[in-house]
């Protein structure tokens, strides 16, 4: 089968890490009999330099015509002084909007070989964890009505959710739980917020009528924040609103110990998604062959799993990464203190490609 992938490498380390992920995809495609046809488009600072806008129409059209999008990262100090509406980061919001993406999936798992890098107490880290935060992306308080009073000494922001907005992200979360361990935790603040009460009612109605096979429980957001550091192994999939998800997904990613390892997906109604590492364009290490390609390679694996339904192929890539880490290979960002034999970004890529070639 042939899949068309739009590549948006972006800025800084973006082209290095996206290039590594493309090589991993090609080898996996050859192994399993698929063709991954990749077309590159500009966005962010690179597009500003060439076209004077952070998100050219050609990029939007190319992404809309693709089966899925793989993005590196955008931004950097070179474009810090451009006007707000021209900032490279605007390309991300523009792409999400154009592609109708309203759900964000952020896995946070501890790689067994890297338990030492986890910031949690060793007995908690030793139990391991593998959780997925499903965050609503286009509603809630970040997009609600806001303002100040006439004198400017009071302000308000509004949290608003409709049943339709809750249902569509909840469905995605139930489906995700089905592809994993079948356990979904809905996170809200239903003891205080009316939107949370609607959230809870809606998620439970869907659970009873459409997903009785998924084990559903609820947790207040303050308790969820505590449990992520006390007992993250409790969780499989969490589903929550835009703001709660923003905060919890950053918390969860930090407890794993390295942002160079973490992938993400943004999804909408169609199978087309946008996949990207959670880290930025790392201008401090760009061009120095220090970028860890793992988060982007794992983002490509997520694309295979969630957009193309190629679970076996996704497992194959994830296992190659886990095996390389298990053997003790590390890039500079995840090396143990004092470890001398660490790998450059391209060397880490070659180790993973070597495993994929088998
Ligand atoms: P960053 O994630 O780019 O870097 C933070 C630190 O982590 C840096 O020390 C960097 O060297 C390191 N790091 C990041 N990715 C790494 C990797 N793959 N391997 C090894 N080390 C890695 O965050 P920042 O410095 O706050 O932001 C830099 C630029 O990226 C800014 O312009 C910011 O706006 C942009 N940014 C873009 C995105 C995105 O495109 N989704 C996300 C976050 C930040």
């Amino acid at each position: 089968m042939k899949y068309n992938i739009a590549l948006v490498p972006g800025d800084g380390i973006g082209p290095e890490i996206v290039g590594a992920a493309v090589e991993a995809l090609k080898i996996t495609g050859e192994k399993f009999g698929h063709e991954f046809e990749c077309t590159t488009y500009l966005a962010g600072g690179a597009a500003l330099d060439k076209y004077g806008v952070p998100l050219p129409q050609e990029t939007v059209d190319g992404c809309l015509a693709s089966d899925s999008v793989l993005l590196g990262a955008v931004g950097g100090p070179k474009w810090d002084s451009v006007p707000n509406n021209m900032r490279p980061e605007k390309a991300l919001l523009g792409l999400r909007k154009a592609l109708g993406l309203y759900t964000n999936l952020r896995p946070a798992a501890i790689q067994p070989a890297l338990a030492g890098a986890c910031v949690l107490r060793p007995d908690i880290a030793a139990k391991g964890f593998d959780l997925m935060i499903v965050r609503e992306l286009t509603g809630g308080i970040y997009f609600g009505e806001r303002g100040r009073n006439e004198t400017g000494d009071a302000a308000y922001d509004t949290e608003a959710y409709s049943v339709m907005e809750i249902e569509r992200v909840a469905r995605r979360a139930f489906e995700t739980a089905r592809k994993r361990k079948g356990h979904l935790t809905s996170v809200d603040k239903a003891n205080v917020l009316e939107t949370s009460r609607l959230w809870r009612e809606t998620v439970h109605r869907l659970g009873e009528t459409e997903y009785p096979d998924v084990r559903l429980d609820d947790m207040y957001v303050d308790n969820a924040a505590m449990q992520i550091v006390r007992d993250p192994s409790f969780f499989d999939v969490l589903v929550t609103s835009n703001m709660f998800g923003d905060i919890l997904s950053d918390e969860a990613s930090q407890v794993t110990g390295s942002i160079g390892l973490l992938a993400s997906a943004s999804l909408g109604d169609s199978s087309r998604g946008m996949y990207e590492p959670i880290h930025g364009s790392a201008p401090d290490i760009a061009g120095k062959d220090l970028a860890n390609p793992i988060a982007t390679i794992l983002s490509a694996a997520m694309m295979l799993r969630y957009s193309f339904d190629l679970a076996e192929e996704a497992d194959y890539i994830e296992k190659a990464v886990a095996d390389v880490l298990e053997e003790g290979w590390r890039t500079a960002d995840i090396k143990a203190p004092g470890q001398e034999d660490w790998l450059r970004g391209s060397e880490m890529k070659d180790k993973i490609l070597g495993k994929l070639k088998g």
Side-chain angles (χ1 to χ4, degrees):
M1 176 109 181
K2 185 173 165 184
Y3 299 91
N4 289 310
I5 300 174
L7 302 176
V8 185
D11 308 313
I13 61 171
E16 303 167 39
I17 53 179
V18 167
V22 169
E23 287 188 62
L25 279 172
K26 296 258 165 182
I27 295 169
T28 307
E30 278 159 27
K31 279 259 163 204
F32 288 83
H34 309 296
E35 195 184 334
F36 297 115
E37 171 107 5
C38 298
T39 314
T40 301
Y41 299 95
L42 293 183
L48 260 177
D49 286 352
K50 182 148 185 214
Y51 299 110
V53 287
L55 184 59
Q57 191 59 39
E58 186 189 316
T59 300
V60 175
D61 293 343
C63 291
L64 280 170
S66 74
D67 295 317
S68 221
V69 181
L70 182 65
L71 186 121
V74 295
K78 183 176 173 196
W79 304 282
D80 273 351
S81 55
V82 301
N84 211 20
N85 63 339
M86 283 290 156
R87 287 193 64 80
E89 292 79 3
K90 289 278 172 199
L92 298 177
L93 292 176
L95 274 176
R96 278 184 197 151
K97 196 164 171 213
L99 297 170
L101 308 174
Y102 53 78
T103 304
N104 190 236
L105 262 60
R106 286 252 304 244
I110 188 156
Q111 299 275 350
L114 279 169
C118 175
V119 297
L120 299 180
R121 240 175 35 214
D123 59 315
I124 300 174
K127 279 168 79 181
F129 62 88
D130 178 1
L131 60 88
M132 175 76 82
I133 297 186
V134 179
R135 166 190 169 194
E136 200 287 327
L137 206 54
T138 55
I141 198 163
Y142 293 169
F143 293 92
E145 199 188 319
R146 73 194 54 180
R148 295 224 177 173
N149 68 353
E150 279 169 14
T151 49
D153 58 359
Y156 64 95
D157 298 277
T158 318
E159 171 89 346
Y161 269 113
S162 68
V163 166
M164 181 277 288
E165 286 174 305
I166 302 167
E167 275 183 353
R168 62 186 190 176
V169 67
R171 274 205 180 87
R172 188 59 87 163
F174 278 113
E175 301 287 344
T176 305
R178 267 188 181 159
K179 286 186 178 176
R180 292 169 47 100
K181 291 184 214 133
H183 176 203
L184 177 62
T185 303
S186 174
V187 176
D188 61 36
K189 190 70 183 163
N191 50 344
V192 181
L193 301 175
E194 197 54 39
T195 40
S196 280
R197 286 192 272 272
L198 182 67
W199 183 279
R200 198 176 273 214
E201 272 167 45
T202 308
V203 173
H204 275 267
R205 182 172 40 73
L206 275 189
E208 281 155 28
T209 54
E210 296 180 32
Y211 302 95
D213 52 314
V214 174
R215 182 158 65 91
L216 172 66
D217 45 40
D218 305 290
M219 199 178 275
Y220 294 137
V221 63
D222 39 351
N223 188 21
M226 283 195 288
Q227 294 308 327
I228 285 173
V229 290
R230 270 189 58 190
D231 186 16
S233 66
F234 168 82
F235 295 108
D236 177 18
V237 179
L238 296 87
V239 63
T240 192
S241 63
N242 201 342
M243 182 166 68
F244 294 162
D246 187 11
I247 298 165
L248 292 182
S249 58
D250 267 13
E251 182 197 9
S253 63
Q254 284 309 305
V255 301
T256 67
S258 172
I259 61 167
L261 298 179
L262 297 171
S264 80
S266 299
L267 303 167
D269 282 332
S270 78
S271 60
R272 186 196 313 106
M274 188 161 89
Y275 296 81
E276 56 184 307
I278 71 156
H279 59 71
S281 59
D284 53 332
I285 57 168
K288 296 181 180 163
D289 199 10
L290 289 173
N292 186 347
I294 290 180
T296 316
I297 291 174
L298 293 177
S299 300
M302 279 187 90
M303 175 189 288
L304 300 187
R305 190 182 303 284
Y306 291 102
S307 281
F308 304 157
D309 222 5
L310 300 175
E312 203 185 329
E313 292 80 344
D315 287 346
Y316 187 69
I317 294 180
E318 286 166 4
K319 183 171 183 321
V321 169
D323 285 352
V324 167
L325 292 172
E326 195 61 46
E327 286 172 9
W329 300 109
R330 300 285 184 269
T331 39
D333 56 313
I334 51 173
K335 71 182 168 65
Q339 183 177 350
E340 302 269 313
D341 60 343
W342 53 273
L343 303 179
R344 301 205 148 257
S346 59
E347 292 169 326
M348 176 57 92
K349 176 199 75 176
D350 289 341
K351 287 279 176 212
I352 295 168
L353 299 186
K355 291 280 174 209
L356 290 173
K357 283 174 190 156

